[in-house]
Amino acid sequence: MNVVYTLNNSFVPQVAASIESILCNKEIADEIEVYLIGENISDKNMGKLNHQVNKFQQKVHFIPLQQLSTLIGFEFDTGGWNQIVLARLFLDKLLPEDVEKVIYLDGDTIIRGSLRKLWETDLSEAVIAMAPEPTVNKERKNFLGLNTEPYCNAGVLLINLDLWKNESYEKKILDYYKQNNGKLFANDQDALNAVLKDSRIILSPTYNYFNVYDQYSYSYLKKLIYPAKFISKEEFLKVKQNPTIIHYLGEERPWRVGNKHRFKKDFENSLYSSGWSDMKFEKGWELYFKFFYLFNGLTRPFPMIRYHIMNILIPYFIRFRAKGL
């Protein structure tokens, strides 16, 4: 089983926690190779990561990341997101040639069960498998040409690298990105949705579970994702009770002081057993979270109001991130 992350040195503890959660939940027969596509990873952190993975008798590979501008070949604006996420478009170039299939994970994920079933998903006729992000607005979906197809989040991907190479999907995605002047709201995630909408498998939200599934009811999420199909209410409740992969999407992240994320303890437990128990949690978020949880409580009976306010606020959050705030 091949698992890949992209990261820089400042995000090593979060990725280490994610890796720890995979290794602690793997099935006995699983052989896992972790590929870390890194930017300026220190020798000390590489040594700790190597020790962490070796204690489970698994393998880790470090792949230094060159300047992305040399790979992309045109000017682009990530709008506040770290450029390193774009490296997932170049896995066919960055990973060894004999890697035919890979699970890509964002560094802000925690695994709560075996990835075996995800890994065995049939990709014989699809280049990628990804899970839906039902709260993306209709204007953006229409712009990307998603008619009856759901918009999907790129934080968890299962990729058929052989088909990716043979069908030149990297070029197709970059061409789309370039046609939009290197500026899309969610960068390569938008491009992946637009280009791969007819060449993908839609995964269950259990493999990419984020806080919107706790903040909105099943009926409202089903309304938002329409006309795309959504999972049944029975499956939704089952996933909600015990998701396989937690994705700490947005600002409610468990390493920020004051957060009350439902799966905060999952991150903390994996972090402490990974060797990074001395990680300094981010301060300065306490007031933000007080207002955030008050806002959630007041708007819970009025999901439409919450949804529209959040759609207004998200671009501001992204601008703050661009300024490093």
Side-chain angles (χ1 to χ4, degrees), residues 150-215:
Y151 183 94
C152 291
N153 184 274
V156 178
L157 303 171
L158 179 66
I159 306 172
N160 179 343
L161 282 178
D162 276 350
L163 191 58
W164 181 281
K165 296 173 190 175
N166 294 337
E167 299 294 329
S168 302
Y169 278 110
E170 177 195 305
K171 182 180 184 305
K172 293 175 183 177
I173 292 166
L174 288 176
D175 285 348
Y176 181 85
Y177 204 5
K178 187 176 182 179
Q179 288 166 14
N180 286 277
N181 301 313
K183 190 172 183 178
L184 293 165
F185 183 84
N187 306 299
D188 63 318
Q189 181 172 277
D190 279 358
L192 286 166
N193 273 276
V195 176
L196 303 181
K197 60 180 179 288
D198 297 321
S199 307
R200 63 182 181 176
I201 289 172
I202 307 301
L203 295 171
S204 165
T206 193
Y207 295 119
N208 194 347
Y209 189 92
F210 31 90
N211 53 12
V212 301
Y213 292 110
D214 292 320
Q215 292 162 352

Side-chain angles (χ1 to χ4, degrees), residues 37-303:
I37 300 173
E39 187 177 66
N40 302 318
I41 308 299
S42 70
D43 290 341
K44 179 182 177 181
N45 277 338
M46 284 195 286
K48 288 181 69 175
L49 287 163
N50 197 50
H51 174 75
Q52 176 193 0
V53 176
N54 286 343
K55 74 181 179 183
F56 289 91
Q57 298 181 325
Q58 305 300 309
K59 296 178 181 178
V60 60
H61 308 272
F62 299 95
I63 302 171
L65 182 64
Q66 58 182 296
Q67 287 291 325
L68 278 170
S69 57
T70 63
L71 291 170
I72 293 177
F74 55 86
E75 291 187 9
F76 59 95
D77 178 5
T78 61
W81 302 103
N82 195 312
Q83 294 181 11
I84 202 166
V85 299
L86 300 178
R88 60 190 164 197
L89 295 180
F90 305 99
L91 297 183
D92 61 326
K93 287 186 172 69
L94 296 169
L95 295 175
E97 289 187 9
D98 60 348
V99 176
E100 299 175 352
K101 184 169 71 168
V102 68
I103 296 173
Y104 165 84
L105 295 173
D106 273 358
D108 56 351
T109 54
I110 286 291
I111 287 70
R112 304 177 67 253
S114 169
L115 295 180
R116 171 55 51 187
K117 189 174 180 181
L118 171 61
W119 179 252
E120 292 178 347
T121 300
D122 183 9
L123 282 185
S124 58
E125 297 183 5
V127 69
I128 204 166
M130 53 201 314
E133 185 174 337
T135 53
V136 170
N137 62 52
K138 289 184 178 180
E139 291 77 14
R140 191 156 139 221
K141 288 186 284 190
N142 290 337
F143 174 80
L144 297 171
L146 299 172
N147 299 317
T148 59
E149 289 289 320
Y151 183 94
C152 291
N153 184 274
V156 178
L157 303 171
L158 179 66
I159 306 172
N160 179 343
L161 282 178
D162 276 350
L163 191 58
W164 181 281
K165 296 173 190 175
N166 294 337
E167 299 294 329
S168 302
Y169 278 110
E170 177 195 305
K171 182 180 184 305
K172 293 175 183 177
I173 292 166
L174 288 176
D175 285 348
Y176 181 85
Y177 204 5
K178 187 176 182 179
Q179 288 166 14
N180 286 277
N181 301 313
K183 190 172 183 178
L184 293 165
F185 183 84
N187 306 299
D188 63 318
Q189 181 172 277
D190 279 358
L192 286 166
N193 273 276
V195 176
L196 303 181
K197 60 180 179 288
D198 297 321
S199 307
R200 63 182 181 176
I201 289 172
I202 307 301
L203 295 171
S204 165
T206 193
Y207 295 119
N208 194 347
Y209 189 92
F210 31 90
N211 53 12
V212 301
Y213 292 110
D214 292 320
Q215 292 162 352
Y216 295 110
S217 68
Y218 171 79
S219 59
Y220 192 67
L221 289 169
K222 186 175 181 180
K223 178 180 178 181
L224 288 177
I225 205 171
Y226 183 84
K229 293 181 180 178
F230 197 40
I231 58 175
S232 68
K233 186 171 185 178
E234 181 182 9
E235 184 182 353
F236 175 80
L237 294 175
K238 183 179 178 182
V239 167
K240 187 172 181 176
Q241 183 178 10
N242 189 28
T244 304
I245 301 178
I246 305 302
H247 186 184
Y248 299 105
L249 200 62
E251 307 303 329
E252 191 186 14
R253 298 182 154 203
W255 52 89
R256 290 175 172 168
V257 176
N259 87 89
K260 299 177 183 178
H261 197 288
R262 183 158 76 96
F263 295 99
K264 175 182 178 179
K265 283 293 182 185
D266 293 81
F267 171 78
E268 291 177 348
N269 292 339
S270 293
L271 179 71
Y272 296 151
S273 65
S274 71
W276 269 267
S277 58
D278 59 347
M279 173 188 175
K280 298 288 190 293
F281 281 30
E282 295 178 16
K283 296 181 179 180
W285 287 90
E286 294 88 339
L287 185 60
Y288 168 87
F289 283 122
K290 285 182 181 179
F291 280 107
F292 177 74
Y293 294 120
L294 177 62
F295 169 77
N296 282 349
L298 292 173
T299 58
R300 187 169 296 279
F302 313 102

